[in-house]
């Protein structure tokens, strides 16, 4: 598939490298239309299936990570069209099936679907210029890509209600305090910091990364006792890997581990 609205590349050292995806629809501040979301799902699935990739970074431009779903397109859609085509679910939900860690490197606006895309990622590294919001209420709609569900889980009910009902934006420092953002960096450091985080992830054992991501996501979606049980079973299964023996032997012998990802 050739991409109209994405730039993709791989960075870092073998054996595990990082797949980079840059949203590239600058004239519309990376507004998310069907074509862009199809491309994003395709690119993410390709990196997820590639055994040489340990981590995926999604970024946008200096001005906008993404300013939301494409309002020009949505303005013409009817109920029957969105319902029958399963608008949002059909292609946006692909992101939820990605098993490798995904980092959002955010500068500028992350609004509406852009903020919801950020919340579907695993780590969020944000430049001081980043602004987050769910302004859909101003358009006579509500968030439709998980905003009313993931935002309260990320920042709590009171702040989520504030953002969803008043449409106000959060600056990056408030977003970090509230738990929406993992790290805040100067704008010129954004890509280097994302790459450093990706390198740190790619230096680990791939089976551990997949298991760890799956377990943390369980925390989001199940009661505590179920989540802890799931974690315990996954933890036990790590003892079947060569990398568990290698990681622990390396610690005991004061050397760097050489993981074989099995
Ligand atoms: N859809 C389509 N086009 C968009 C867009 C969007 N979400 N956001 C920005 N654009 C376009 C603008 O129409 C404009 O195009 P033209 O140059 O052709 O006029 C271009 O991008 C630049 O935007 P602005 O001139 O508005 O730039 P600004 O710096 O003055 O303002 C902004 C920036 C505050 C982000 C403003 O563009 C804005 O408010 N955008 C809409 C944000 C929004 O409401 N997002 C939610 C969308 S609904 C949604 O996402 C539903 C869901 O949950 C899935």
């Amino acid at each position: 598939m050739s991409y109209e609205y994405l730039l993709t590349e791989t960075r870092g050292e073998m054996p595990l490298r990082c797949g980079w995806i840059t949203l590239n629809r600058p004239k519309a501040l990376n507004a998310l239309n069907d074509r862009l979301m199809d491309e994003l799902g395709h690119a993410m699935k390709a990196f997820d299936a590639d055994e040489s990739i340990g981590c995926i970074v999604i970024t946008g431009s200096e001005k906008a990570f993404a300013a939301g779903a494409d309002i020009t397109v949505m303005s013409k859609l009817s109920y029957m069209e969105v319902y029958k085509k399963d608008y949002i679910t059909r292609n946006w939900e692909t992101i939820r099936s990605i098993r490798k860690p995904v980092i959002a490197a955010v500068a500028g606006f992350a609004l509406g679907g852009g903020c919801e895309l950020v919340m579907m990622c695993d780590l969020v590294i944000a430049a001081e210029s980043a602004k987050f919001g769910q302004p859909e209420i101003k358009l006579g709609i509500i968030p439709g890509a998980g905003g009313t569900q993931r935002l309260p889980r990320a920042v709590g009910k009171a702040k989520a209600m504030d953002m969803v009902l008043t449409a106000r934006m959060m600056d990056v420092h408030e977003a970090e305090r509230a738990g929406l953002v993992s790290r805040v960096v100067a704008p010129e450091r954004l890509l280097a910091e994302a790459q450093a985080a990706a390198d740190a992830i790619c230096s680990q054992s791939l089976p551990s990364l997949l298991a760890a991501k799956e377990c943390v996501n369980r925390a989001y979606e199940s009661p505590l006792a179920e989540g802890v049980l799931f974690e315990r079973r996954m933890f036990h299964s790590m003892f079947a890997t060569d990398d568990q023996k290698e990681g622990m032997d390396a610690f005991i012998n004061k050397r760097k581990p050489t993981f074989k990802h099995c």
Side-chain angles (χ1 to χ4, degrees), residues 25-32 63-64 67-74 87-88 92 109 111-114 116 134-136 138-139 141-147 169:
R25 201 187 166 204
K27 285 188 186 141
L29 301 184
N30 292 332
L32 305 165
K63 181 158 183 196
D70 191 319
I71 300 168
T72 312
V73 172
M74 282 189 295
Y87 180 54
I88 300 294
W92 292 57
F109 297 109
L111 301 178
E116 291 165 312
Q134 297 289 163
E136 289 90 341
K138 291 201 290 187
L139 301 168
I141 56 168
I142 64 169
M169 290 186 217

Side-chain angles (χ1 to χ4, degrees), residues 103-130:
I103 299 172
V106 183
F109 297 109
L111 301 178
C115 186
E116 291 165 312
L117 175 56
V118 166
M119 290 190 285
M120 283 190 252
C121 298
D122 303 318
L123 274 76
V124 182
I125 301 183
E128 278 155 349
S129 62

